[in-house]
Amino acid sequence: MDVFSRTFLPAAAETGLATQTATRHMPVFRRCVGSGDATILVTRCSRPDHPVGGEYLMLLTHRRLVVTRQTRVLHRLRLHLNTELRELSNVTWSPDPRTHSLELAATAIDGARERFLIRTHHPKQVWQLDALLNHAFRTRLRTPAERLVATIGDPPAVTRPAVFRPAAAH
């Protein structure tokens, strides 16, 4: 059994997601995620800007964010978002323990701003989600400058800038 298969159902159970729902969405997720990528989070979510769009299920791994949508009438599964975490920009989230929810927002590579609302059963779970997202997006990802190895045409980084020293007057 691969890493994804071993970690998917336990992550879904942690958020209280029914096994039947998780296994229904699993084939769509499997097409998007590599077999060696561990699941961090599987949870239901909604889109605050599209309240009648159907049910959404979010999968977060160490490398990808995948969101599927199930239509209300025919219950068809559709892929809504499939992106690597490093391709997301302006990722923000707002935990609200009073409403037992957390709103996650990110800009996809195509420039579309995606917003998702994740509801929990207890305020403690909101802070667990906050810590999980902090780990996924802030501590594991490096800035683009840190990923840059070299740029053609730039002077080597080891050279020191010239220092002007005036000659001593005799």
Side-chain angles (χ1 to χ4, degrees), residues 83-136:
T83 185
E84 289 189 26
L85 297 184
R86 62 185 171 87
E87 292 175 346
L88 294 171
S89 62
N90 196 18
V91 178
T92 59
W93 59 93
S94 306
D96 189 354
R98 291 176 292 122
T99 61
H100 306 276
S101 64
L102 180 138
E103 184 174 335
L104 172 66
T107 303
I109 198 165
D110 63 357
R113 185 77 177 158
E114 300 284 349
R115 291 177 50 217
F116 301 101
L117 185 66
I118 302 169
R119 297 199 184 280
T120 64
H121 299 291
H122 192 274
K124 184 178 178 181
Q125 291 173 316
V126 173
W127 297 119
Q128 290 171 340
L129 275 174
D130 179 56
L132 188 137
L133 293 174
N134 187 49
H135 177 71

